[in-house]
Amino acid sequence: MITNGRIIPEEFKENGIDKDYDEVFELICQNVKIPNYDGRFVHFIDENYVMDTTKGYRYENITPAYDKVINYGLSELKYDSTDSKFKESYNRVCDNLIMLAGRIVDELRVKDKSDRRIEWFENLADKPAIHFEESIQRMLFLNQIMWQTDHRLVGLGAWDSFLFEAYQKDMDSGILDRDEAVKIVEDLFRVLHYQYTFKSNVLMGDTGQIFVLGKSDENGNYICNDLTYIFIEALKNVNQPDPKCLLRINKNTPDDLIRLSLETIATGIGAPLLANDDVIIPALLDFGIDKTDACNYATSACWEPLIGGKSSSNNNRTVLNYCKALDNLLKRADLSRICNFDDLVTEYIKHLRLNLCAVKRVIQQHRFPYDPLLSVFMYGCYESEKDVSWGGACYCNTGITSVGMGNLVDSLYNIKRLVFEEKKYSLYDVKRIIITNYENENELARHLKGTPSCYGKDNPETVALVKRITTVVSEEIADFNTYLGEKMKVGLSGAAYLDAGKAFGATFDGRYAGEPFVVHISNEDNNGYTEIVNFASQMKYDKGLFNGNVLDFMVSPDFIAGNIDKFVSFIKAATLSGFFEMQMNVVSADQMIEARKNPEAFPNLIVRVWGFSSYFNDLPDEYKDVLIERALKNERRTA
Amino acid sequence: MSEERLNGILVTNIQRMCFHDGPGIRTVVFLKGCTIHCPWCSNPENLSYNIEKYEKDGNTSYYGRYYTEPELHDELLKDRLFWINDGGITFSGGEPLSHIPTIKNLLKSLKTEGIDLAVETSLFVDENMIDVSLCFFDHFIVDIKILDEQICNRVLGGDCSLYKRNVKRVVDSGKDLVFRIPCNNEYTLTDKNSRSIIEFLKQYRDIPVQIFAIHDLGAEKYRSLGIEMWRHEKVKEKSLLDFKDELTMNGISTEIIKL
């Protein structure tokens, strides 16, 4: 049977009805094809034998507890008795994983009895991992089974922390040196990049495979180790868009680590994304996350903070479109009663609250499937004896992303100027113009498009306006609970700036119907990156407003590489200033224009999209166009 | 004359996060009005001391805006956090030192607050302006252009001997100083002028020199003002390298920069 372009094995059903989870999981462990794998690690996904979770809301954008698979043998994770359905499923998952590990041992033995990986897979049943490579192999084993069971966008998390003990032990005993460790991590990157097409979600490169490196302790000290550097070095050396890295930083991050990250970013691979612990951790604490957990946060596929191995939070449940409430206002409100800018904003907020009620109603309906595998590798489930779908994980809150704030702010300011100050148009004219998609008003559209954007400017008025709007959002989500009784969070960035734009009418910032929304927190009209950093640093991120708030810069290639010392100072100051997250697209408009014309001449051109990197050639044309337009604006040029 | 004009500071642009205009990360403020008129000027909007109307894409706009002193002070300090170890404000133009009377109080208050101040200048200004500027600026980025008295006067409209005296004044003050040479084949890199530059610099061997090829980045601004841009030959990279070698051979520390 083929569902959504995928083959679903017949044996996953009985009389046309899906078999239950335990049976399907067992079939997978029994039957997945184990390929001949000559590389350093065994890692495979049998793409023709993937569990089918396409009928409901599946768990995706989740980072399982990789530390569990290093620190325990699989049998050590089991319950002693199985006096409930959940415990039975849970133990069956462990047993079936042991069976799959045994199958891999048999395959390896057939080929070469002295293969050292045989011992690694034998130990997986009942012993903790001992060595560096062995630990990586175990984490890869968990990673592949997550993909095999149709968890998409499988996060990776803090592997520099998880692996450090084994790395140190091997280094101390002389069986590993640093150069070899770099090669091992490079191989790890290559292995994870394998089956890139299968792993990609909506766009090529959108795999969710993100390492989250470095961290802060509870006293604000910065914690990193050799492996933090090695992972970033390997990322730079391998030079591929996937997997990607996020580097957590704080005010105490060593300069040489920031420098290494910037050198890596300057190669154009779009990573690491930088996340500011000094802002994110307080926001997590405010949300009710335990302090130790907050200090150990990871992120969903792109940038939404969650607690790796402890959060079954789905952070991309839906998209809040900030322009929707203004659209509703113009089409439905009594415009004659709106006499000034303050009236307009007040009325907007009324419609935004209604819009958020609709979002909450939608999310309230979401239910997640029974998932014993994820429960085994999610702290809280064993202890509470509950599946993740019943609220077993330590945290199971929900998150939404947003689009359109930049377009909204510019639209509001354009109305302020043209309607209330210059009185060139009435609100009824604005309504007509957006409904008719600038019919006979192309000159106005061109003028509005050419007006420098206000969003991201650090003037007090713009900052106050955006904060007023996001405060309303935090008030509205404060009373929301998921079906599991947990809270909701929202962020100022979102991947849907193009797709949401396609389905949306014109906006009063010169954007025609169907055109993309502004990308995350960005403004190519900015007066230096410092301006938008200052803007972002004045935003509120507590009260649930921390579900990813990414500053997104276009940077011309020479700009970082030629000024690395000054860029290090910039990042350090920006951290003190209080930005939330930051990513950079280091590519010139000319390169992309050329690559659009002659793709074959640029097979390895990598760009940053949403929260991941991708080969430029793999992107749909409309994404290429958005990037080119932004780069041209950043370079103060026009198409 | 309006009060705004009497007391205001005429600014065309404030550019934040600049990397090439002094130490660290800098905010550069461009003051409108210049004492000379270089044919290759890339900021033609900064030549006149008056606000100028221009048209771009069918929209009318203006080059130049008067700021009150407190207003400009607050605007310039927006990036203060980014100047932790070094960095600060650079005054550029136009000729910023010709604006000393209107910016003197601003400079005083910025200095009192410990802000690092730099100036990009051609030094074609009265000597008393130099004396005042030495009280406030920590760094001087000084252009070297045409050193022949007559050609300098004819092409730039500047007094070369005044320039040379001012250079000496700044050098003698011991202030941090960098020379910057805009290179073009027509005037600054001619055999005669480049020899003069080298001779001139021999007396200031301790001072670093930056050279760069002039560019056409001001083309759009010329168009908007309805002024025809000076046509020039493209400066070859080899010419820059040769000039750098010559300077270096004469003991003058030189780097090629891109602006």
Side-chain angles (χ1 to χ4, degrees), chain A residues 546-572:
Chain A
F546 65 89
N547 198 37
N549 295 281
V550 185
L551 274 171
D552 191 293
F553 298 144
M554 297 300 293
V555 184
S556 44
D558 295 342
F559 196 54
I560 298 183
N563 301 288
I564 204 92
D565 287 336
K566 295 195 180 190
F567 242 94
V568 171
S569 302
F570 165 66
I571 296 296
K572 288 173 70 173

PDB file of all heavy atoms in Angstrom, chain A residues 546-572:
ATOM      1  N   PHE A 546       8.952  32.479  24.431  1.00  0.00           N
ATOM      2  CA  PHE A 546      10.326  32.044  24.137  1.00  0.00           C
ATOM      3  C   PHE A 546      10.399  30.912  23.110  1.00  0.00           C
ATOM      4  O   PHE A 546      11.412  30.244  22.992  1.00  0.00           O
ATOM      5  CB  PHE A 546      11.028  31.609  25.440  1.00  0.00           C
ATOM      6  CG  PHE A 546      10.402  30.395  26.085  1.00  0.00           C
ATOM      7  CD1 PHE A 546      10.820  29.117  25.749  1.00  0.00           C
ATOM      8  CD2 PHE A 546       9.386  30.525  27.016  1.00  0.00           C
ATOM      9  CE1 PHE A 546      10.254  27.998  26.326  1.00  0.00           C
ATOM     10  CE2 PHE A 546       8.802  29.419  27.598  1.00  0.00           C
ATOM     11  CZ  PHE A 546       9.235  28.155  27.247  1.00  0.00           C
ATOM     12  N   ASN A 547       9.337  30.720  22.350  1.00  0.00           N
ATOM     13  CA  ASN A 547       9.338  29.569  21.443  1.00  0.00           C
ATOM     14  C   ASN A 547      10.095  29.869  20.138  1.00  0.00           C
ATOM     15  O   ASN A 547       9.571  29.712  19.035  1.00  0.00           O
ATOM     16  CB  ASN A 547       7.898  29.143  21.128  1.00  0.00           C
ATOM     17  CG  ASN A 547       7.841  27.725  20.582  1.00  0.00           C
ATOM     18  OD1 ASN A 547       8.596  26.858  21.015  1.00  0.00           O
ATOM     19  ND2 ASN A 547       6.965  27.482  19.629  1.00  0.00           N
ATOM     20  N   GLY A 548      11.332  30.319  20.294  1.00  0.00           N
ATOM     21  CA  GLY A 548      12.158  30.636  19.132  1.00  0.00           C
ATOM     22  C   GLY A 548      11.985  32.081  18.719  1.00  0.00           C
ATOM     23  O   GLY A 548      10.880  32.514  18.364  1.00  0.00           O
ATOM     24  N   ASN A 549      13.048  32.861  18.835  1.00  0.00           N
ATOM     25  CA  ASN A 549      13.018  34.284  18.459  1.00  0.00           C
ATOM     26  C   ASN A 549      14.332  34.585  17.754  1.00  0.00           C
ATOM     27  O   ASN A 549      15.293  35.043  18.366  1.00  0.00           O
ATOM     28  CB  ASN A 549      12.872  35.146  19.705  1.00  0.00           C
ATOM     29  CG  ASN A 549      11.551  34.928  20.408  1.00  0.00           C
ATOM     30  OD1 ASN A 549      10.522  35.450  20.006  1.00  0.00           O
ATOM     31  ND2 ASN A 549      11.559  34.124  21.464  1.00  0.00           N
ATOM     32  N   VAL A 550      14.360  34.302  16.474  1.00  0.00           N
ATOM     33  CA  VAL A 550      15.637  34.294  15.755  1.00  0.00           C
ATOM     34  C   VAL A 550      15.866  35.576  14.964  1.00  0.00           C
ATOM     35  O   VAL A 550      15.051  35.957  14.120  1.00  0.00           O
ATOM     36  CB  VAL A 550      15.689  33.110  14.767  1.00  0.00           C
ATOM     37  CG1 VAL A 550      17.062  33.026  14.117  1.00  0.00           C
ATOM     38  CG2 VAL A 550      15.387  31.832  15.475  1.00  0.00           C
ATOM     39  N   LEU A 551      16.982  36.187  15.243  1.00  0.00           N
ATOM     40  CA  LEU A 551      17.462  37.279  14.399  1.00  0.00           C
ATOM     41  C   LEU A 551      18.076  36.645  13.173  1.00  0.00           C
ATOM     42  O   LEU A 551      18.893  35.735  13.300  1.00  0.00           O
ATOM     43  CB  LEU A 551      18.583  38.023  15.124  1.00  0.00           C
ATOM     44  CG  LEU A 551      18.191  39.120  16.085  1.00  0.00           C
ATOM     45  CD1 LEU A 551      19.422  39.564  16.854  1.00  0.00           C
ATOM     46  CD2 LEU A 551      17.658  40.289  15.291  1.00  0.00           C
ATOM     47  N   ASP A 552      17.732  37.106  12.022  1.00  0.00           N
ATOM     48  CA  ASP A 552      18.222  36.469  10.801  1.00  0.00           C
ATOM     49  C   ASP A 552      18.918  37.531   9.948  1.00  0.00           C
ATOM     50  O   ASP A 552      18.289  38.482   9.491  1.00  0.00           O
ATOM     51  CB  ASP A 552      17.026  35.868  10.051  1.00  0.00           C
ATOM     52  CG  ASP A 552      17.444  34.972   8.912  1.00  0.00           C
ATOM     53  OD1 ASP A 552      18.020  35.477   7.929  1.00  0.00           O
ATOM     54  OD2 ASP A 552      17.192  33.772   9.002  1.00  0.00           O
ATOM     55  N   PHE A 553      20.217  37.368   9.780  1.00  0.00           N
ATOM     56  CA  PHE A 553      20.999  38.350   9.012  1.00  0.00           C
ATOM     57  C   PHE A 553      21.424  37.791   7.668  1.00  0.00           C
ATOM     58  O   PHE A 553      21.812  36.627   7.570  1.00  0.00           O
ATOM     59  CB  PHE A 553      22.323  38.683   9.716  1.00  0.00           C
ATOM     60  CG  PHE A 553      22.183  39.315  11.058  1.00  0.00           C
ATOM     61  CD1 PHE A 553      23.082  39.006  12.063  1.00  0.00           C
ATOM     62  CD2 PHE A 553      21.193  40.224  11.330  1.00  0.00           C
ATOM     63  CE1 PHE A 553      22.988  39.591  13.302  1.00  0.00           C
ATOM     64  CE2 PHE A 553      21.085  40.827  12.567  1.00  0.00           C
ATOM     65  CZ  PHE A 553      21.983  40.503  13.556  1.00  0.00           C
ATOM     66  N   MET A 554      21.414  38.623   6.662  1.00  0.00           N
ATOM     67  CA  MET A 554      22.135  38.314   5.433  1.00  0.00           C
ATOM     68  C   MET A 554      23.506  38.987   5.593  1.00  0.00           C
ATOM     69  O   MET A 554      23.568  40.165   5.962  1.00  0.00           O
ATOM     70  CB  MET A 554      21.447  38.915   4.209  1.00  0.00           C
ATOM     71  CG  MET A 554      20.051  38.401   3.916  1.00  0.00           C
ATOM     72  SD  MET A 554      19.934  36.640   3.598  1.00  0.00           S
ATOM     73  CE  MET A 554      20.820  36.489   2.059  1.00  0.00           C
ATOM     74  N   VAL A 555      24.551  38.253   5.329  1.00  0.00           N
ATOM     75  CA  VAL A 555      25.894  38.823   5.492  1.00  0.00           C
ATOM     76  C   VAL A 555      26.684  38.537   4.223  1.00  0.00           C
ATOM     77  O   VAL A 555      26.707  37.393   3.749  1.00  0.00           O
ATOM     78  CB  VAL A 555      26.633  38.183   6.692  1.00  0.00           C
ATOM     79  CG1 VAL A 555      27.980  38.852   6.907  1.00  0.00           C
ATOM     80  CG2 VAL A 555      25.796  38.281   7.959  1.00  0.00           C
ATOM     81  N   SER A 556      27.326  39.566   3.682  1.00  0.00           N
ATOM     82  CA  SER A 556      28.121  39.290   2.483  1.00  0.00           C
ATOM     83  C   SER A 556      29.418  38.581   2.892  1.00  0.00           C
ATOM     84  O   SER A 556      29.952  38.817   3.977  1.00  0.00           O
ATOM     85  CB  SER A 556      28.393  40.551   1.681  1.00  0.00           C
ATOM     86  OG  SER A 556      28.753  41.589   2.514  1.00  0.00           O
ATOM     87  N   PRO A 557      29.897  37.671   2.046  1.00  0.00           N
ATOM     88  CA  PRO A 557      30.952  36.732   2.444  1.00  0.00           C
ATOM     89  C   PRO A 557      32.203  37.376   3.052  1.00  0.00           C
ATOM     90  O   PRO A 557      32.771  36.840   4.004  1.00  0.00           O
ATOM     91  CB  PRO A 557      31.279  35.993   1.143  1.00  0.00           C
ATOM     92  CG  PRO A 557      30.009  36.048   0.375  1.00  0.00           C
ATOM     93  CD  PRO A 557      29.388  37.370   0.691  1.00  0.00           C
ATOM     94  N   ASP A 558      32.654  38.509   2.531  1.00  0.00           N
ATOM     95  CA  ASP A 558      33.888  39.090   3.066  1.00  0.00           C
ATOM     96  C   ASP A 558      33.702  39.746   4.421  1.00  0.00           C
ATOM     97  O   ASP A 558      34.657  40.034   5.113  1.00  0.00           O
ATOM     98  CB  ASP A 558      34.422  40.186   2.111  1.00  0.00           C
ATOM     99  CG  ASP A 558      34.834  39.598   0.790  1.00  0.00           C
ATOM    100  OD1 ASP A 558      35.020  38.377   0.751  1.00  0.00           O
ATOM    101  OD2 ASP A 558      34.959  40.357  -0.188  1.00  0.00           O
ATOM    102  N   PHE A 559      32.448  40.002   4.752  1.00  0.00           N
ATOM    103  CA  PHE A 559      32.208  40.868   5.894  1.00  0.00           C
ATOM    104  C   PHE A 559      32.666  40.241   7.215  1.00  0.00           C
ATOM    105  O   PHE A 559      33.275  40.909   8.048  1.00  0.00           O
ATOM    106  CB  PHE A 559      30.723  41.247   5.955  1.00  0.00           C
ATOM    107  CG  PHE A 559      30.441  42.416   6.854  1.00  0.00           C
ATOM    108  CD1 PHE A 559      31.107  43.619   6.679  1.00  0.00           C
ATOM    109  CD2 PHE A 559      29.527  42.322   7.888  1.00  0.00           C
ATOM    110  CE1 PHE A 559      30.862  44.703   7.515  1.00  0.00           C
ATOM    111  CE2 PHE A 559      29.266  43.400   8.715  1.00  0.00           C
ATOM    112  CZ  PHE A 559      29.937  44.588   8.526  1.00  0.00           C
ATOM    113  N   ILE A 560      32.374  38.957   7.404  1.00  0.00           N
ATOM    114  CA  ILE A 560      32.831  38.315   8.641  1.00  0.00           C
ATOM    115  C   ILE A 560      34.305  37.968   8.504  1.00  0.00           C
ATOM    116  O   ILE A 560      35.121  38.317   9.357  1.00  0.00           O
ATOM    117  CB  ILE A 560      32.054  37.014   8.943  1.00  0.00           C
ATOM    118  CG1 ILE A 560      30.578  37.322   9.156  1.00  0.00           C
ATOM    119  CG2 ILE A 560      32.623  36.334  10.169  1.00  0.00           C
ATOM    120  CD1 ILE A 560      29.751  36.107   9.521  1.00  0.00           C
ATOM    121  N   ALA A 561      34.640  37.284   7.405  1.00  0.00           N
ATOM    122  CA  ALA A 561      36.005  36.767   7.250  1.00  0.00           C
ATOM    123  C   ALA A 561      37.039  37.882   7.343  1.00  0.00           C
ATOM    124  O   ALA A 561      38.105  37.703   7.935  1.00  0.00           O
ATOM    125  CB  ALA A 561      36.118  36.035   5.924  1.00  0.00           C
ATOM    126  N   GLY A 562      36.716  39.044   6.811  1.00  0.00           N
ATOM    127  CA  GLY A 562      37.690  40.131   6.822  1.00  0.00           C
ATOM    128  C   GLY A 562      37.714  40.924   8.115  1.00  0.00           C
ATOM    129  O   GLY A 562      38.549  41.813   8.276  1.00  0.00           O
ATOM    130  N   ASN A 563      36.800  40.627   9.001  1.00  0.00           N
ATOM    131  CA  ASN A 563      36.693  41.437  10.226  1.00  0.00           C
ATOM    132  C   ASN A 563      36.422  40.560  11.440  1.00  0.00           C
ATOM    133  O   ASN A 563      35.620  40.907  12.298  1.00  0.00           O
ATOM    134  CB  ASN A 563      35.534  42.436  10.091  1.00  0.00           C
ATOM    135  CG  ASN A 563      35.692  43.369   8.911  1.00  0.00           C
ATOM    136  OD1 ASN A 563      36.533  44.252   8.924  1.00  0.00           O
ATOM    137  ND2 ASN A 563      34.894  43.149   7.872  1.00  0.00           N
ATOM    138  N   ILE A 564      37.122  39.438  11.506  1.00  0.00           N
ATOM    139  CA  ILE A 564      36.735  38.428  12.494  1.00  0.00           C
ATOM    140  C   ILE A 564      36.851  38.945  13.928  1.00  0.00           C
ATOM    141  O   ILE A 564      35.990  38.680  14.769  1.00  0.00           O
ATOM    142  CB  ILE A 564      37.524  37.112  12.246  1.00  0.00           C
ATOM    143  CG1 ILE A 564      36.774  35.918  12.813  1.00  0.00           C
ATOM    144  CG2 ILE A 564      38.921  37.151  12.766  1.00  0.00           C
ATOM    145  CD1 ILE A 564      35.874  35.260  11.854  1.00  0.00           C
ATOM    146  N   ASP A 565      37.914  39.724  14.237  1.00  0.00           N
ATOM    147  CA  ASP A 565      38.066  40.227  15.616  1.00  0.00           C
ATOM    148  C   ASP A 565      36.909  41.131  15.997  1.00  0.00           C
ATOM    149  O   ASP A 565      36.381  41.066  17.106  1.00  0.00           O
ATOM    150  CB  ASP A 565      39.375  41.017  15.760  1.00  0.00           C
ATOM    151  CG  ASP A 565      40.572  40.096  15.745  1.00  0.00           C
ATOM    152  OD1 ASP A 565      40.391  38.909  16.074  1.00  0.00           O
ATOM    153  OD2 ASP A 565      41.672  40.558  15.384  1.00  0.00           O
ATOM    154  N   LYS A 566      36.539  41.982  15.061  1.00  0.00           N
ATOM    155  CA  LYS A 566      35.453  42.913  15.359  1.00  0.00           C
ATOM    156  C   LYS A 566      34.118  42.169  15.478  1.00  0.00           C
ATOM    157  O   LYS A 566      33.251  42.547  16.253  1.00  0.00           O
ATOM    158  CB  LYS A 566      35.383  44.017  14.298  1.00  0.00           C
ATOM    159  CG  LYS A 566      36.644  44.892  14.328  1.00  0.00           C
ATOM    160  CD  LYS A 566      36.504  46.181  13.584  1.00  0.00           C
ATOM    161  CE  LYS A 566      37.818  46.949  13.688  1.00  0.00           C
ATOM    162  NZ  LYS A 566      37.742  48.313  13.193  1.00  0.00           N
ATOM    163  N   PHE A 567      33.989  41.101  14.703  1.00  0.00           N
ATOM    164  CA  PHE A 567      32.765  40.312  14.800  1.00  0.00           C
ATOM    165  C   PHE A 567      32.689  39.579  16.137  1.00  0.00           C
ATOM    166  O   PHE A 567      31.604  39.412  16.708  1.00  0.00           O
ATOM    167  CB  PHE A 567      32.658  39.324  13.632  1.00  0.00           C
ATOM    168  CG  PHE A 567      31.461  39.593  12.778  1.00  0.00           C
ATOM    169  CD1 PHE A 567      31.554  40.377  11.645  1.00  0.00           C
ATOM    170  CD2 PHE A 567      30.211  39.099  13.131  1.00  0.00           C
ATOM    171  CE1 PHE A 567      30.440  40.662  10.868  1.00  0.00           C
ATOM    172  CE2 PHE A 567      29.086  39.368  12.367  1.00  0.00           C
ATOM    173  CZ  PHE A 567      29.203  40.151  11.234  1.00  0.00           C
ATOM    174  N   VAL A 568      33.841  39.133  16.647  1.00  0.00           N
ATOM    175  CA  VAL A 568      33.841  38.500  17.976  1.00  0.00           C
ATOM    176  C   VAL A 568      33.344  39.518  19.002  1.00  0.00           C
ATOM    177  O   VAL A 568      32.482  39.219  19.841  1.00  0.00           O
ATOM    178  CB  VAL A 568      35.252  37.983  18.344  1.00  0.00           C
ATOM    179  CG1 VAL A 568      35.297  37.523  19.796  1.00  0.00           C
ATOM    180  CG2 VAL A 568      35.667  36.834  17.427  1.00  0.00           C
ATOM    181  N   SER A 569      33.863  40.752  18.915  1.00  0.00           N
ATOM    182  CA  SER A 569      33.412  41.803  19.845  1.00  0.00           C
ATOM    183  C   SER A 569      31.915  42.043  19.690  1.00  0.00           C
ATOM    184  O   SER A 569      31.198  42.250  20.671  1.00  0.00           O
ATOM    185  CB  SER A 569      34.116  43.134  19.554  1.00  0.00           C
ATOM    186  OG  SER A 569      35.486  42.980  19.651  1.00  0.00           O
ATOM    187  N   PHE A 570      31.464  42.026  18.452  1.00  0.00           N
ATOM    188  CA  PHE A 570      30.039  42.247  18.183  1.00  0.00           C
ATOM    189  C   PHE A 570      29.182  41.180  18.872  1.00  0.00           C
ATOM    190  O   PHE A 570      28.197  41.486  19.540  1.00  0.00           O
ATOM    191  CB  PHE A 570      29.796  42.256  16.667  1.00  0.00           C
ATOM    192  CG  PHE A 570      28.356  42.117  16.265  1.00  0.00           C
ATOM    193  CD1 PHE A 570      27.440  43.113  16.562  1.00  0.00           C
ATOM    194  CD2 PHE A 570      27.913  40.994  15.585  1.00  0.00           C
ATOM    195  CE1 PHE A 570      26.099  42.984  16.198  1.00  0.00           C
ATOM    196  CE2 PHE A 570      26.583  40.857  15.223  1.00  0.00           C
ATOM    197  CZ  PHE A 570      25.670  41.855  15.533  1.00  0.00           C
ATOM    198  N   ILE A 571      29.587  39.912  18.707  1.00  0.00           N
ATOM    199  CA  ILE A 571      28.791  38.822  19.293  1.00  0.00           C
ATOM    200  C   ILE A 571      28.786  38.922  20.820  1.00  0.00           C
ATOM    201  O   ILE A 571      27.765  38.729  21.481  1.00  0.00           O
ATOM    202  CB  ILE A 571      29.343  37.436  18.846  1.00  0.00           C
ATOM    203  CG1 ILE A 571      29.214  37.263  17.325  1.00  0.00           C
ATOM    204  CG2 ILE A 571      28.650  36.293  19.590  1.00  0.00           C
ATOM    205  CD1 ILE A 571      27.804  37.244  16.788  1.00  0.00           C
ATOM    206  N   LYS A 572      29.956  39.255  21.386  1.00  0.00           N
ATOM    207  CA  LYS A 572      30.033  39.360  22.847  1.00  0.00           C
ATOM    208  C   LYS A 572      29.125  40.478  23.356  1.00  0.00           C
ATOM    209  O   LYS A 572      28.406  40.318  24.337  1.00  0.00           O
ATOM    210  CB  LYS A 572      31.476  39.614  23.275  1.00  0.00           C
ATOM    211  CG  LYS A 572      32.346  38.371  23.104  1.00  0.00           C
ATOM    212  CD  LYS A 572      33.791  38.654  23.358  1.00  0.00           C
ATOM    213  CE  LYS A 572      34.055  38.919  24.823  1.00  0.00           C
ATOM    214  NZ  LYS A 572      35.492  39.043  25.101  1.00  0.00           N
TER     215      LYS A 572
END
